[in-house]
Amino acid sequence: MNNNNLIWPELAARSLARVWHPCTQMARAARRPPLPLARGEGPWLFDTEGHRYFDAISSWWVNLFGHSDEGLRAAITAQLHTLPHAMLAGCTHEPVVRLAERLCARTGGALAHASFGSDGASAVEIALKQSFHAWRNLGLEGKRGFVALRGGYHGETLGALSVTDVAIFRDAYDPLLMRSHLVDAPDTRLGNEDQALATLAALLEREADRLAAVLVEPLVQGAAGMVMHSPRYLSELRRLCSAHGVHLIADEIAVGCGRTGRFFAWSHTEPAGPADWPDFLLLSKGITGGTLPLSVVLSTEAVFQAFWSDDPTRGFLHSHSYTGNPLACAAANAVLDRFDAGQEARCAEQARWLDEAFAPLARDPRVAHPRQRGTLLAFDVPGAPADFAERFHLAARTRELLIRPIGRTVYLMPPYLITPPIAAWLADSVTATLNDVV
Ligand SMILES: Cc1ncc(COP(=O)(O)O)c(C=O)c1O
């Protein structure tokens, strides 16, 4: 079977002619035409020629239970027959209310209100605006700066890019962006958590009066190359932000919904009470199991109260046409049903199987810094050639595997469908791909 031939199937050619693909230099796309997909089933994506690919990266980290999952399909279909959509200003509906209640309850009420957007970036925009506006309503208009971690990624709208530190996405738009502060990111590979905290503490000491919030991707900076840190860093970060009166925004768009083994990555800090949670917690991607676009910004009672007034200009008037879309909320409620029914334990078991299966590869001399959080695993290949990511991706495709390394970092973030044989097959296939490329 040759999945790697460059004779474009008709759909790929038509796509290149008319569809402006994301994250793609279209002039170069001809060399790597898009995979023309026909359908998805479980962890597999099938192309129009009938070849299959194991979606080891959950289609940009959104898919949780496999493609075309029956439970999610049923939830969305039932909702489609009752109320597909209604505006959320001046109206409400059961799916959005239940979802807000259930997500807040999962924080023990520490986060008490839910705002809705469509994509991760729109959730980031909401959090940035709510943080700034809350301080403004409290008479602290000068608190308008944001602090982000080096290498961090929060999306690609202008506000989100202003707190994103990935040059390839950011640099062209730099003249349009807000000025944010960047601080060192903690990285288990460097053992620099205390130094990273000290740098941040110094900035907060100096600038707190001008700062609205610090943003963090809890436990794993995804787009930076699966850069990991400890729950202790997050607890210390919480302590520092509280001490200096600066909001803390936990962007769990990538790491939420069980990716790190717990529904919220933040839960790894073992919060003892409301004060141990962030001021904002953002979810998207997996929240609908990879079926429909939805994002959620959870915020504290204190933030909400800062907007409570008869004066409309003190309210949070932000909206999107599809805010709180019932279909997406029904899908999210079906995702929460799985977690209510023990999904975390299943994730833990699957994480163990992956850990065992990948143990030999972790000892391979070509591999550096093998690391894992829940079912998310990554390793670096420091000696790899500059075009490693592209070559690895194409080689993996010939082995029925969909993987897109970030630079010289290979990572897997598969749907929660891992069994011991699948874990073994994944480890064998990744090793074989590495042998093809390095
Ligand atoms: C941590 C994080 N925040 C925000 C985003 C942006 O989400 P979206 O692509 O849905 O706008 C992403 C996307 O990868 C992400 O990983």
Side-chain angles (χ1 to χ4, degrees), residues 75-237:
I76 295 166
T77 307
Q79 189 60 41
L80 193 57
H81 286 282
T82 50
L83 180 69
H85 185 65
M87 61 192 283
L88 199 61
C91 303
T92 193
H93 47 79
E94 168 82 12
V96 77
V97 174
R98 258 191 94 218
L99 180 58
E101 288 172 349
R102 295 172 86 185
L103 288 173
C104 292
R106 279 189 166 270
T107 71
L111 296 160
H113 300 273
S115 308
F116 292 88
S118 312
D119 297 294
S122 62
V124 172
E125 300 291 335
I126 289 171
L128 298 177
K129 285 175 68 179
Q130 277 184 352
S131 172
F132 162 75
H133 199 166
W135 293 124
R136 181 172 186 258
N137 283 348
L138 293 170
L140 298 167
E141 192 154 354
K143 286 172 77 66
R144 60 176 60 180
F146 294 99
V147 182
L149 301 191
R150 290 222 159 77
Y153 181 92
H154 298 283
E156 296 178 40
T157 51
L158 292 178
L161 262 188
S162 298
V163 287
T164 286
D165 181 37
V166 181
I168 186 83
F169 303 128
R170 184 194 149 103
D171 282 1
Y173 308 99
D174 190 69
L176 302 180
L177 304 181
M178 293 186 293
R179 302 293 115 201
S180 300
H181 299 268
L182 284 178
V183 292
D184 288 344
D187 184 339
T188 47
R189 295 172 300 186
L190 306 175
N192 65 345
E193 287 192 0
D194 287 335
Q195 175 250 310
L197 285 163
T199 318
L200 178 64
L203 176 68
L204 293 178
E205 192 68 47
R206 236 181 22 248
E207 294 281 330
D209 289 352
R210 289 181 288 279
L211 294 176
V214 178
L215 289 95
V216 65
E217 295 164 78
L219 297 184
V220 186
Q221 285 187 292
M226 303 301 153
V227 176
M228 300 192 183
H229 55 258
S230 72
R232 186 188 75 94
Y233 172 84
L234 297 174
S235 301
E236 287 299 307
L237 183 58

Side-chain angles (χ1 to χ4, degrees), residues 57-65 72 117-124 153-156 217 220 222-223 226 251-259 263 282-296 328 331-332 335 339 376 406 411 413 416:
I57 50 174
S58 296
S59 282
W60 259 349
W61 321 345
V62 302
N63 194 288
L64 297 189
F65 306 117
L72 295 186
S118 312
D119 297 294
S122 62
V124 172
Y153 181 92
H154 298 283
E156 296 178 40
E217 295 164 78
V220 186
M226 303 301 153
D251 176 349
E252 297 215 5
I253 287 160
V255 295
C257 304
R259 290 295 182 197
F263 182 79
L282 281 42
L283 294 171
S284 187
K285 292 195 181 274
I287 189 64
T288 63
T291 56
L292 288 162
L294 180 73
S295 58
V296 190
V335 166
F339 279 90
L376 190 170
I406 301 171
Y411 75 90
M413 204 191 285
Y416 306 145

